[in-house]
Amino acid sequence: MADGLLAGGGLGSEAMAPEPELPGWAAEEELERLEKGLFENEDSCSDCSDHAKPGSSLQSFVPEGKTHFPEMFQTSQLLFYERFRAYQDYILADCKASEVKEFTAEFLEKVLEPSGWRAVWHTNVFEVLVEVTDVDFTALKAVVRLADPYLCESQVSAFTLECMKELLDLKEYRLPLQELWVVFDDSGLFDQTALAIEHVRFFYQNIWRSWDEEEEDEYDYFVRCVEPRLRLHYDILEDRVPSGLIVDYQNLLTQCEESYRKFLNLRSSLSNCNSDSEQENISMVEGLKLYSEIEQLKQKLKLIENPLLRYVFGYQKNSNIQAKGIRPNGQKVTHVVSSTMTTGLLQSLLRDRLCPEPCKEETEIQFHSDPLSAINACYEGDTVIVCPGHYVVHGAFSIADSIELEGYGLPDDIVIEKRGKGDTFVDCTGANIKISSIKFVQHDAVEGILIIHRGKTTLENCVLQCETTGVTVRTSAEFLMKNSDLYGAKGAGVEIYPGSKCTLSDNGIHHCKEGILIKDFLDEHYDIPKISMVNNVIHNNEGYGVVLVKPTIFSDLQEDAQDETEENKALKVQTSGEADEAGRVDLEELIQCATGKMELYSRAELSEQVEGNCEIVNELVAASTQKGQMKKKRLSELGITQADDNLMSQEMFVSIVGNQFKWNGKGSFGTFLF
């Protein structure tokens, strides 16, 4: 499925048929083919008639259908590094975007048999067997004739031999190489021909964009475009990209293709218009709008294609989970999860959880063997109690109602492990969700272990063993994490989106790529997040303990910020550690300065961990101030010379106290500029 999503997105300069679905292909080629097959060395590229080792090193397949076509070379299952090496070392090298076709033609001249081979011409409508009599390398086309006997399979019954001859005549018997699938030959003579055409076909279906030639014509086309798009293609094949992001990418490609086609048509019509006509002026305005739209779409595509930016920005997944609300009879149910139930365990549950005091009213209890079925059975106000045990689930926890999910015992004794490929582990959209005393273990994941889309989620006394990112707090969501341990994330342990509220207290966040990542909130459409970090230990992360993402354009505002008002100066936090005791700043001062309530007093010395707290607050306050300056500037441009103080008082109310930052690879705090 992922292959089909991406294959359809390639935008070539000519109409290209989508890659057919071919059955029976093997999962991967033999690794030794690199030494035996195409691109072994320069001599093999220049002398394609050298067959010291007879016999084909490639596999074959028989296409399905009513027509009995001959076997064809199986080339579509090449590995990433095989394609990477071919494009980098032999086909594109350091060419410009405008030189791609020229370099490809030169490569094909070295390795392609000019005639004497058969192929199946594949389109969306039909497949027909042809013989190649010549190759026009410059145009990347083959000169063909119908094979004898005539073999054709068409989705249109009226498509006869005469129709095919007429179509070929219109095309002057010249067909794009990427539409040809080479017929298998076990002699090995046409192995390089089949592989070369596969590389051309894959490039124009999955890598090339019709607007590439109009981008900056630099020599790093392979680095800028080919490598990231190739990596994205294989990341999708290997289920490393969220399904929602794949859909977003495909939609962006389609939008960009349509807009670019409109832009080309408009540009063509302008060249034929009277330069003084009113219509031309209108068309030029439309053209500028289209150009701006295309540039924005291209930037979004690049964010997804770049592995690092894809991780930093992620995507806004719309959760479609519907809350059930209160049970029709108004009753609340307690769900007990246990793989086996003993009398002793039941007595303990009755004493500690189910009936700790004389029951005033009867409580319905439902028993489940796995936590997923219990979650799915919940209504508003229900409670799920998970007994000690190791539970393996293969689906996602989608919690849309306000419920409590609690473990009966210590987190290490109550383990919920997710196996099987999938996007999420725990999805929260309920107004008030509480999770406690459970260990969550994530495997084969694409997205984070816990995502709060909206509402409030409280996590207390839990252990999160992550695989991708850890906890994601989306815009408008609220997250409270207390006395918990989070580790193992290949991304950030906690991702905080603009407009969210995040409180972290007495937690351990360690052995992740980054400890905490605060998304860019400087855009005018974003609200500042409310962040509180108290007594957390953030250690042994590969990068920074805390990372703030912001655009490089805002670094230019630093020059303008030098002419600050007295109000902005009051927000400055000095953490330089000067020798003068009176010049030092206390932790409480940092908090007060973040809220605009500074009261000066001194402190003898700040420890390394305290300096980390200072650095974070200082940077967040500075970023918040920049946002306020930008808003004032926009209001001034609109003619509002005196902004309302209440309107401009968007501050990040942070409380950053007592956190310890130890042994993080790049330090306690850093910024990621994009």
Side-chain angles (χ1 to χ4, degrees), residues 260-275:
Y260 187 69
R261 188 181 297 112
K262 291 178 183 177
F263 179 76
L264 292 180
N265 293 336
L266 189 60
R267 188 168 65 181
S268 177
S269 65
L270 280 174
S271 63
N272 300 325
C273 282
N274 185 347
S275 59

Side-chain angles (χ1 to χ4, degrees), residues 305-333:
E305 290 167 354
N306 184 299
L308 178 59
L309 296 181
R310 188 193 319 154
Y311 146 69
V312 170
F313 291 95
Y315 77 104
Q316 293 285 0
K317 176 182 176 182
N318 296 318
S319 179
N320 297 319
I321 311 169
Q322 297 295 323
K324 296 179 183 178
I326 300 175
R327 197 173 265 98
N329 60 10
Q331 189 175 6
K332 296 179 181 179
V333 174

Side-chain angles (χ1 to χ4, degrees), residues 317 371-372 375 391-399 405 415-419 422-428 438-443 445-451 463-470:
K317 176 182 176 182
L372 185 57
I375 294 291
Y391 304 90
V392 177
V393 297
H394 294 273
F397 285 12
S398 299
I399 308 177
L405 174 63
V415 179
I416 301 177
E417 179 180 352
K418 184 180 185 301
R419 295 181 184 173
D423 284 354
T424 58
F425 192 167
V426 183
D427 254 350
C428 295
I438 295 176
K439 180 176 182 179
F440 294 92
V441 179
Q442 183 185 39
H443 291 297
V446 178
E447 287 194 58
I449 197 167
L450 171 62
I451 300 179
V463 177
L464 304 180
Q465 180 179 318
C466 312
E467 186 167 88
T468 52
T469 53

Side-chain angles (χ1 to χ4, degrees), residues 58-98:
L58 300 179
Q59 298 180 11
S60 65
F61 71 93
V62 178
E64 290 183 344
K66 298 178 181 178
T67 304
H68 297 290
F69 285 107
E71 293 182 47
M72 291 188 285
F73 281 105
Q74 175 195 340
T75 55
S76 294
Q77 297 295 320
L78 296 179
L79 303 178
F80 166 80
Y81 67 87
E82 294 176 291
R83 296 193 192 275
F84 182 92
R85 185 185 178 200
Y87 293 130
Q88 183 184 49
D89 297 345
Y90 298 99
I91 304 177
L92 302 176
D94 59 351
C95 74
K96 302 177 181 179
S98 60

